[in-house]
Amino acid sequence: MSAQRLYPLQNVRNIGIMAHIDAGKTTTSERILFFSGKTRKIGEVHDGTAVMDSMAQEQERGITIMSAATTVHWLNPYNQVDYRINIIDTPGHVDFTVEVERSLRVLDGAVAVFCAKGGVEPQSETVWHQATKYNVPRIAFINKMDIFGANFGNCISMMRSRLKTNAMPIQVPIGKEDNFTGVIDIIERKAYVFDDITGSTFETESVPMEYQSIVKKYRDELEEFIAGQDDALADMFLEGIPLSVQQIKEGIRKATLELSLTPVLCGSAYKNKGIQMLLDAVCDYLPSPSDIGAVTGFLPDHPEKTVKRQADDEQPFCGIAFKIVSDPYVGKLAYVRVYSGTLQVGTTVYNASKDKRERVAKILQMHSNQRQEIDKTFAGEIVAVVGLRETTTGDTLCAEKSPILLEKMTFPEPVIKVAIEPKTKQGGERMMDALARLSEEDPTFKTYTDNETSQVIIAGMGELHLEIIVDRLLREFKVEANIGKPQVSYRETVTTKAIGEERYIRQSGGKGMYAHIVLQIEPLDKGKGFLFVDNTVGGVIPREYANAVRQGIIESAKGGVIAGYEMVDFKATLLDGSTHPVDSSELAFKICGALAFRNTAMKAIPTILEPLMKVEITLPEEYMGDVLGNLTSRRGAITGIEIRNGIQVINALAPLSEMFGYATDLRSQTQGRGNYTMQFDTFCEVPPQVKKRIIG
């Protein structure tokens, strides 16, 4: 392909499609591909023919598991400008939330899809807060306006109350459920009535009489808000001069980029209604890479010195590898967001996170699992790179002569684990290789060997997550394995402050080993992890020995002190100690640190933490009593009960250990009419009777 930039930077959009499971993200993505001319045939999720769901497991289950990237082009009819839109379709199931997290880290804007019946569902809130964390501007698309129970106004209210966002309609639906026929553009005061058979064509009409009052209401609200953001427009508004279409569009765009407004559109992706207008809105209101401004990092050797990179081809190259994929044809693929400069095939880049040099063998433009080779990419683009052997998720890539290190990506820890063993001896090496490649792809998937049982353990975000991993082992890597029962990943922590003194002395005829430290262990606030502080004075313990103590504590903490679980949320302070001029060494202080940690932590009244899950259950009212009773028996705490579209919704917090098999119980108690979603919330201390059972 040509090495010239084909689209000006201001005409590029990097967006994600995000939502709760089954809200219609992938169906929306498939329609975008079709209407933009990228595909000639519409793929369907339920048929397993969706282009963006290329994995066999996705096609069989009808869900998105791995985020998929593609690029489309769209001619915006309002300004007659041709746009390049890089799209990432993200999963909706909570077990694969890492895919959303790392996609939002590198995207400039997002389309949040909501079900017109369900409104703001649990995972909708999760992905919304993830987008807020990364300051990603959003537009909302209320999908499924054609299904029974669709309620546009209720969705707007839920967005405002649950997401605390200034959701403002820029469209209203014409009809709903079976009578949903089109949408009305509030800004241009036009009605788009879709073809009843395919929905892919539409007629432009004037606003029907029965909708004029609601259009006026929303238009007035929009004008008032936009006028409040600009003094000149405020004067016009107060004088009763209506704002022009261009002024309103510019005002919406500015407010969307500042995260003070969420424009809301509607339609039915499955019935092909509203997709063209959604693409127009992506071009009109979501940011280009140049709108986002400079990306900020720091010098790898001087973390106190910040560095900025503008979205400009002339700047030094800078990008982040946000996703690693094991490809059967080309090996390891690293998805890279280019923030500044250009990247060319055959060049060497510097991995600032690993202090390694990497050679770019190929650059690929991705379309789901299909690819097109290009010889050069530019600022603002998202591509896949072949040849980066040392690079992992979250690593910063840059020009060696202009180093920069971007903020690291953080991921949740696994909450569920199972033991796994190959069915044959010959399969052992292949299994370990496959597990290493899978853990490189997915930062929330961990694998390790249990020191006590020598079993290989795999850990993930939920039962479905591990089920998919095992399925991929069998299909992709041809590894047959036996799987144990799911177990909860508990944690340990301390509950009070304690001080301990430890001496480690060994003599064996030659040079001996000597280390002496005084250590204080105390609890930290929930979620703070581990903090080490060296409070020694006068050089009684050299810095390298203090670092060895820290390393010994870290390694010892992985095995806990009472039940073998990793210890978290504690502070270790090195208070005092002594050295020997001949026998002291880093190894001696590392061993001493590990022993001091174990002995001191035992004095600090250790306890066990368990993962607490946020549960939302929807069910008909007549089954409430049985379901509430069952939930209470599982140590569930009810946090709220509400009625949503005539259906009872129970919100609760429950320990993961008590929720295994809950799907079967709920089905039997509600005659198959109840549904639930569950996602990790926090770790909390287990009750005494449970602690006793765990310790044994």
Side-chain angles (χ1 to χ4, degrees), residues 139-143 145 152-153 156 168-174 180 182-192 194 211 214-215 218-219 222 249 252 262-268 273-281 285:
I139 60 177
F141 180 64
I142 297 177
N143 189 29
M145 282 303 306
F152 181 77
I156 299 290
M168 282 196 156
I170 59 171
Q171 289 180 350
V172 291
I174 302 174
F180 175 61
V183 298
I184 297 171
D185 186 324
I186 290 169
I187 303 164
E188 298 196 39
R189 295 191 181 96
K190 291 178 181 175
Y192 300 110
F194 293 93
Y211 288 96
I214 190 71
V215 168
Y218 283 136
R219 169 80 180 226
L222 206 51
K249 281 181 177 280
I252 292 172
T262 304
V264 183
L265 300 91
C266 60
S268 168
K273 296 176 181 179
I275 301 301
Q276 299 97 321
M277 297 80 204
L278 177 61
L279 281 165
D280 294 343
Y285 309 124

Side-chain angles (χ1 to χ4, degrees), residues 19-36:
H20 184 86
I21 190 169
D22 206 31
K25 296 175 308 302
T26 302
T27 303
T28 301
S29 299
E30 293 297 319
R31 277 18 180 215
I32 288 174
L33 294 179
F34 177 73
F35 285 111
S36 64

Side-chain angles (χ1 to χ4, degrees), residues 5 80 101 124 192-193 206-207 235 237 240 255 341 368 470 485 504 509 516 573 587 632 635 653 666 668 676 683:
R5 177 182 277 284
Q80 290 300 303
E101 181 86 19
S124 309
Y192 300 110
V193 180
S206 57
V207 177
D235 292 340
F237 182 76
S368 188
V470 172
K485 290 184 178 179
Y504 181 70
H516 165 225
T573 306
L587 178 59
T632 304
R635 293 197 283 127
L653 292 171
L666 184 63
S668 63
Y676 83 104
F683 278 95

Side-chain angles (χ1 to χ4, degrees), residues 53-207:
D53 283 349
S54 57
M55 288 174 63
Q57 293 86 352
E58 293 176 317
Q59 293 165 359
E60 290 167 2
R61 289 169 170 80
I63 61 170
T64 301
I65 294 167
M66 293 181 72
S67 55
T70 190
T71 300
V72 302
H73 307 280
W74 185 251
L75 180 66
N76 187 348
Y78 176 71
N79 55 16
Q80 290 300 303
V81 171
D82 199 12
Y83 289 84
R84 175 193 182 100
I85 308 174
N86 298 317
I87 301 171
I88 296 183
D89 175 35
T90 64
H93 196 286
V94 67
D95 282 13
F96 310 106
T97 189
V98 63
E99 292 288 333
V100 187
E101 181 86 19
R102 60 183 172 186
S103 297
L104 289 170
R105 169 69 174 80
V106 301
L107 290 170
D108 302 325
V111 176
V113 180
F114 298 90
C115 171
K117 181 180 180 181
V120 178
E121 297 169 281
Q123 189 66 0
S124 309
E125 292 187 67
T126 302
V127 297
W128 190 272
H129 296 318
Q130 285 173 317
T132 301
K133 171 182 171 183
Y134 293 115
N135 295 315
V136 178
R138 280 142 280 177
I139 60 177
F141 180 64
I142 297 177
N143 189 29
K144 300 190 178 184
M145 282 303 306
D146 59 309
I147 66 169
F148 178 75
N151 190 324
F152 181 77
N154 186 53
C155 287
I156 299 290
S157 299
M158 289 179 76
M159 287 178 66
R160 290 172 177 172
S161 61
R162 288 195 171 194
L163 304 179
K164 303 296 185 286
T165 184
N166 183 22
M168 282 196 156
I170 59 171
Q171 289 180 350
V172 291
I174 302 174
K176 64 177 182 176
E177 301 174 351
D178 290 342
N179 296 319
F180 175 61
T181 57
V183 298
I184 297 171
D185 186 324
I186 290 169
I187 303 164
E188 298 196 39
R189 295 191 181 96
K190 291 178 181 175
Y192 300 110
V193 180
F194 293 93
D195 165 34
D196 275 343
I197 300 171
T198 65
S200 56
T201 60
F202 58 85
E203 296 290 334
T204 305
E205 300 176 1
S206 57
V207 177

Side-chain angles (χ1 to χ4, degrees), residues 407-422:
E407 183 187 350
K408 278 195 164 190
M409 300 166 77
T410 56
F411 303 107
E413 286 295 310
V415 295
I416 189 171
K417 62 184 181 180
V418 297
I420 183 171
E421 61 180 25

